[in-house]
Amino acid sequence: MRTLLVILGIWLLLNILFVVVVIPPRKPRPSRADGGSAGLSPVPVRHDAATPGEDPPVSLRHVIIAIALGAFFSLSPPLLEAYDMLRSRLRRLRGQMQ
């Protein structure tokens, strides 16, 4: 049961961090005066685009995600041990009360 909860927690964390946080919010499209849709619009060519050999600039979102994942994976074992310890102490307390 605990393994299932750990797997679900990791899956949820990855979904939240990579799907919600990494994807930038959509910008609203400018409204057209005629109100019709023209299908596909041409993409403007950027002449100042970076060459493939250059690294992209550091994103604050990616830094936050890296720190959150590092903290989660480094804190998981101590938290699981604390959970096991509390569970065993609660079982002993219940045994003494009965």
Side-chain angles (χ1 to χ4, degrees), residues 19-60:
V19 176
V20 176
V21 177
V22 173
I23 296 175
R26 294 183 68 180
K27 295 178 181 154
R29 289 192 211 173
S31 61
R32 295 178 51 114
D34 60 355
S37 63
L40 298 176
S41 61
V43 177
V45 177
R46 290 181 38 197
H47 295 289
D48 62 340
T51 60
E54 295 179 11
D55 289 335
V58 178
S59 171
L60 183 61

Side-chain angles (χ1 to χ4, degrees), residues 50-87:
T51 60
E54 295 179 11
D55 289 335
V58 178
S59 171
L60 183 61
R61 290 180 176 187
H62 290 101
V63 171
I64 292 171
I65 289 169
I67 292 171
L69 282 173
F72 177 77
F73 287 119
S74 64
L75 292 177
S76 292
L79 288 174
L80 290 174
E81 288 178 20
Y83 171 77
D84 289 339
M85 183 186 67
L86 286 173
R87 189 173 69 179

Side-chain angles (χ1 to χ4, degrees), residues 10-24:
I10 291 170
W11 177 78
L12 181 65
L13 179 72
L14 290 175
N15 276 322
I16 289 171
L17 289 177
F18 287 104
V19 176
V20 176
V21 177
V22 173
I23 296 175

Side-chain angles (χ1 to χ4, degrees), residues 86-97:
L86 286 173
R87 189 173 69 179
S88 66
R89 287 192 181 181
L90 285 175
R91 283 185 180 172
R92 269 192 252 142
L93 268 173
R94 287 183 187 168
Q96 289 176 359
M97 294 176 105

